[in-house]
Amino acid sequence: HQYQEQLSTFFKPK
Amino acid sequence: LEARLEAADLFKKVVEAIKDLVQHCNFDCNDSGIALQAMDNSHVALVSMMLTADTFTPFRCDRNIPLGIDLTSLTKVLRAAQSSDILTIKSEDAPDVVNLVFEGKDQDRISEYDLKLMDIDQEHLGIPDTEYAATASMPAADFKRICSDLLLISEAVSIECTKEGITFKAEGDIGNGSVTLRQHSDLENSDKNVDISLTEPVALSFSLKYLTGFCKATGLSNQVRLCLSNDVPLMVEYALANNSYLRFYLAPKIGD
């Protein structure tokens, strides 16, 4: 099974 | 703001390509052009659009203004524009509305619409400049075909990039499927090229639902570029004329 990452894991709020 | 496009087609296609991914977003206007960054509701995918000032003839923007727009409403207004119409986007300082004017090429018809703006408090993410481990350019139509074919097999696709080529693999209940594009240069027609540059092999899994959604941008560019590094979001780029672009970022799926 695969888990869907969210973008906030990689990109931080400006 | 006053920005005139020779053909409404570009703007119609850009909005068409992103309206199912994001509903409300700010078009950030400043003297370098019109930019947009927005995430989908699930915070898995992000669209980043840049229409540079050079894309417009002429382009004038005296101060930074965010135009908060409901893309469903914008789509309704843009339906009234024919693809070959000249499109002018205008706005005052601190505007309540954005004004869109469509002119027939033969100048016998002028349509004018005011679209109400909304206040959108949008989170901006910092996207670092990334040296991707693998970059693959291919015909946009091929990418679309691969994604829609594999979506019939599985919800997810594994993308593997090596020096030999780029492979898309899907494993589903009915069986497995894979498509490999090998690097090649078409001397007759460079739009058909498959070009891969690689510093290290990459293998990542992504949701095909999102990738097929990104493919709504296929009509904007003959080629699409996929940029991949292990364990970072995929970037899917449709390059437009005058250094403008439509980019999509998609977070990977991670095995547990």
Side-chain angles (χ1 to χ4, degrees), chain B residues 13-22 40 45-47 140 143-149 151 155 157 206-220 224 234 236 238 246-250:
Chain B
K13 282 182 175 163
V14 165
V15 173
E16 194 60 35
I18 65 177
K19 74 171 171 52
D20 296 327
L21 189 65
V22 291
D40 81 305
L46 179 145
V47 54
F143 179 59
K144 180 184 179 180
R145 180 72 199 266
I146 291 166
C147 291
S148 54
D149 287 348
L151 182 60
E155 173 271 329
V157 63
F206 298 99
S207 158
L208 277 165
K209 182 185 76 171
Y210 285 98
L211 291 179
T212 50
F214 301 166
C215 289
K216 288 175 184 160
T218 300
L220 281 164
V224 63
L234 162 75
V236 179
Y238 294 86
L246 188 59
R247 291 176 183 160
F248 299 96
Y249 293 85
L250 181 60

Side-chain angles (χ1 to χ4, degrees), chain B residues 23-26 66-70 118-123:
Chain B
Q23 282 73 47
H24 304 137
C25 43
N26 283 322
L67 301 176
I69 290 178
D70 176 341
M118 42 198 308
D119 265 327
I120 299 171
D121 187 17
Q122 207 156 45
E123 184 181 26

Side-chain angles (χ1 to χ4, degrees), chain B residues 13 27-28 39 57 68 112 142 144 147 163 175 196 215 226 253 255:
Chain B
K13 282 182 175 163
F27 287 73
D28 295 308
M39 264 193 291
T57 47
E112 197 164 350
D142 288 358
K144 180 184 179 180
C147 291
K163 282 202 163 57
I196 292 165
C215 289
L226 309 188
K253 284 171 164 286

Side-chain angles (χ1 to χ4, degrees), chain A residues 2-4 6-7 10 12 14, chain B residues 42-43 124 126 205 251 254:
Chain A
Q2 288 177 319
Y3 170 75
Q4 176 65 62
Q6 288 204 333
L7 283 171
F10 310 95
K12 298 299 162 205
K14 262 195 227 174
Chain B
S42 61
H43 289 204
H124 267 255
S205 290
I254 305 282

Side-chain angles (χ1 to χ4, degrees), chain B residues 106-146:
Chain B
D106 39 14
Q107 297 186 333
D108 55 356
R109 173 179 47 81
I110 296 179
S111 316
E112 197 164 350
Y113 287 81
D114 286 330
L115 182 65
K116 285 182 192 163
L117 295 174
M118 42 198 308
D119 265 327
I120 299 171
D121 187 17
Q122 207 156 45
E123 184 181 26
H124 267 255
L125 295 183
I127 300 169
D129 279 332
T130 306
E131 292 280 339
Y132 288 96
T135 300
S137 301
M138 66 198 74
D142 288 358
F143 179 59
K144 180 184 179 180
R145 180 72 199 266
I146 291 166

Side-chain angles (χ1 to χ4, degrees), chain B residues 231-248:
Chain B
D231 301 322
V232 305
L234 162 75
M235 180 177 85
V236 179
E237 180 184 61
Y238 294 86
L240 311 173
N242 302 108
N243 293 321
S244 295
Y245 58 78
L246 188 59
R247 291 176 183 160
F248 299 96

